[in-house]
Amino acid sequence: MVAGKFKFAIDRGGTFTDVFAEGPGGKCRVLKLLSEDPANYPDAPREGIRRILEQELGVAHPPDRPLDTSRIESIRMGTTVATNALLERKGARTALIITRGFRDLLHIGTQSRPQIFDLRIATPSQLYEEVIEVDERVVLCQDGDTEEPGVPVHTGVTGERVAVRRALDETALRAKLERVAAAGIRSIAVALMHSYAYPEHERAVGRVAAAVGGFERVSLSSAVMPMVKIVSRGYTATADAYLTPCVQRYLDGFLAGFDDQLLQRVSILFMQSDGGLASIDDFSGSRAILS
C-alpha cells in the first residue's frame, strides 16, 4: 500500500469535471468525467476521487459504499452550480424584504446605461418574485443635527450616528412572512436602508423569519455585503438568497458519499467569486457565482 495522503483539486463545470490529484511522492494524476452521468455515478467530483484512490492504492472502493477518507489530505473545488442556476433561472423562490417606499428600488437600479441613446433597453429579470415592504426607517445624522424628541439616536457599527425614526413593526412583518411561506417561497433577501451602519432591524427580520419557520435561507444584506450602496447591497443579498439553497443541496449531495470522518480528516475549501477559498460553512450563493 502506498504511504501518505492525496490532495485533490477539482473543477466541476456544467459539462465536464476535471480532477487533479497529487499523490504520495508528488505523483500527479488527471481525470476528466461528465459532470452529469446518473446512470454511472451520482456525483462526478466524488467519483473522480474514488477512481483515483482505487487505481493508485490498488484497494477496491465500491461506488455503493461511503468513500474512505483516511487517505485524503485535502479537497479544493470550484463549481459552476450557482452560475448555471443563475443563468438558467433555476434558483429558489425568493421574496425581497425592503424598507417601505422602496419596493421598486432594485428594479430601477442605478440607471447606469452602457448605450446612453439606446431607446430599447433590455433589463434582466429580477430574482425575487415577491416584495415585502416593512415599516421601519433609519436615517443618518448629519453634523449639526439636533436630536428630535422621541427619536432614539444610536452609534452604528461604522461609527456613524443614526436616528431610528420608525422602529420595525415585527407583528405586521410576521403576518406577511407567514403569507409568503404558505405560498411556497423558501428564501428571503433583506435589504433595509442604512443597514450597513445599523443592522439591528435586519437582524430582527432574521429572528422573525426563524420564528415563522419554513425558510431555507434568509440573507441579510448587512451580513452578506455590508456596504453603503443599498442597490448593490440588495442585489448581492438577493443573489445569495436565490442561489444558496442550490449550492447547499449540491454540497449535501457531495458530502453524503463519504464516510462520517470527512470533515474531521479532510481540509475542504471551495473557490469563491473573488478567487479566494471558503470553507463549507462560509460557501454561499453570492460567493459561488464565479467559482
Side-chain angles (χ1 to χ4, degrees), residues 17-196:
T17 291
D18 296 288
V19 182
F20 172 85
E22 180 183 345
K27 181 180 179 180
C28 298
R29 284 285 309 275
V30 177
L31 184 67
K32 182 183 285 288
L33 297 168
L34 287 172
S35 293
E36 299 287 343
D37 192 2
N40 292 299
Y41 44 80
D43 183 81
R46 190 172 68 241
E47 176 65 13
I49 294 173
R50 186 194 71 79
R51 291 186 185 184
I52 290 175
L53 289 177
E54 190 171 73
Q55 293 166 10
E56 292 299 313
L57 298 174
V59 177
H61 288 72
D64 58 346
R65 298 182 59 185
L67 186 59
D68 178 19
T69 59
S70 62
R71 305 302 296 275
I72 305 174
E73 178 178 332
S74 65
I75 299 173
R76 305 288 185 265
M77 190 190 306
T79 172
T80 60
V81 169
T83 311
N84 294 338
L86 179 63
L87 293 175
E88 298 170 5
R89 290 298 192 263
K90 292 183 178 179
R93 296 182 62 191
T94 302
L96 170 66
I97 295 180
I98 198 164
T99 304
R100 180 171 295 283
F102 294 90
R103 67 175 297 116
D104 296 320
L105 184 63
L106 299 191
H107 176 68
I108 295 170
T110 62
Q111 290 296 291
S112 175
R113 303 183 184 187
Q115 302 295 330
I116 194 169
F117 296 111
D118 191 349
L119 299 180
R120 302 183 64 180
I121 301 173
T123 58
S125 60
Q126 298 298 325
L127 301 181
Y128 52 86
E129 63 180 83
E130 180 87 19
V131 179
I132 296 175
E133 294 182 273
V134 294
D135 287 313
E136 68 87 38
R137 195 66 171 98
V138 173
V139 298
L140 296 178
C141 296
Q142 304 298 318
D143 292 340
D145 282 355
T146 57
E147 294 189 13
E148 301 175 35
V151 178
V153 175
H154 303 278
T155 300
V157 295
T158 60
E160 297 169 281
R161 294 170 66 246
V162 298
V164 181
R165 290 188 172 171
R166 184 179 301 126
L168 178 69
D169 187 341
E170 296 188 20
T171 302
L173 172 63
R174 184 184 183 99
K176 293 176 181 178
L177 286 174
E178 289 174 345
R179 176 178 58 79
V180 297
I185 289 176
R186 292 294 174 260
S187 275
I188 298 293
V190 186
L192 303 182
M193 290 293 292
H194 304 303
S195 64
Y196 73 94

Side-chain angles (χ1 to χ4, degrees), residues 210-224:
V212 170
F215 298 110
E216 297 180 55
R217 180 70 174 181
V218 178
S219 298
L220 309 181
S221 70
S222 55
V224 175

